[in-house]
Amino acid sequence: MISILVNYRARAYPSGMLDLHEMPGHLIRRLHQISVSVFAGAMRRAGHDLTPVQFAALSALARNPGVDQATLAGLIAYDRVTIGGVVDRLEAKGLVERDVSARDRRARVLRPTRAGEALLAEADPVVRALQDEILSGLDPAERTELVRLLRKAAEAGNARSRAPLQDAGRRVGNG
């Protein structure tokens, strides 16, 4: 996170305590709250029952059909223990199916159903459009710069994450 704010100096209260509202971690958490709220509102208005993590999982499966749950977790940097619940909910909605792996009969592979592909095709433009709304206080150049800095910080800290990104198709930092 320090690489995001090179000239960052947290203001301190007279007691010496740092101002919470000037801390990068707090601001990132707040921006995450805003992002989830904007996403939920846009999906509700579009008539879709889909969370940000479900959208990420469905998107990753559309690009990588036939992966197992552990691989899916790595593709979206999500905790391997809790990805099962995400997949369960997607399966219950008829958006994902599990099949027996051709390589290992004990393993299950995942792929989007036709309904999942159709929902993704409808949701993708909505998600693309809401990105500017998440960063509505920034002009286009600032949005580009923030995304660049967030990507840089996320890549640099990837190895320290409890759920590191393991997408072989992207450059991922080693911490």
Side-chain angles (χ1 to χ4, degrees), residues 17 100 172:
M17 282 181 41
V100 175
V172 180

Side-chain angles (χ1 to χ4, degrees), residues 56 62-63 67 71 82 94 96 115 143 174:
R63 286 187 315 273
V67 299
T71 301
T82 53
V96 168
R143 290 177 192 150
N174 294 327

Side-chain angles (χ1 to χ4, degrees), residues 87-162:
V87 172
D88 289 345
R89 286 184 284 285
L90 288 171
E91 186 178 37
K93 293 176 182 182
L95 303 174
V96 168
E97 61 187 11
R98 297 176 202 203
D99 296 315
V100 175
S101 170
R103 288 182 292 169
D104 180 354
R105 307 276 310 149
R106 298 168 296 169
R108 300 277 184 230
V109 294
L110 308 167
R111 56 183 37 84
T113 62
R114 288 193 181 184
E117 290 171 348
L119 175 60
L120 190 57
E122 291 177 23
D124 189 67
V126 174
V127 173
R128 287 178 189 274
L130 67 82
Q131 300 307 303
D132 286 345
E133 187 178 345
I134 292 168
L135 300 177
S136 62
L138 304 178
D139 66 39
E142 290 170 327
R143 290 177 192 150
T144 299
E145 182 64 3
L146 178 61
V147 170
R148 184 187 72 76
L149 292 170
L150 290 171
R151 185 182 311 110
K152 183 178 181 179
E155 288 174 356
N158 189 56
R160 291 188 298 271
S161 172
R162 290 186 321 180

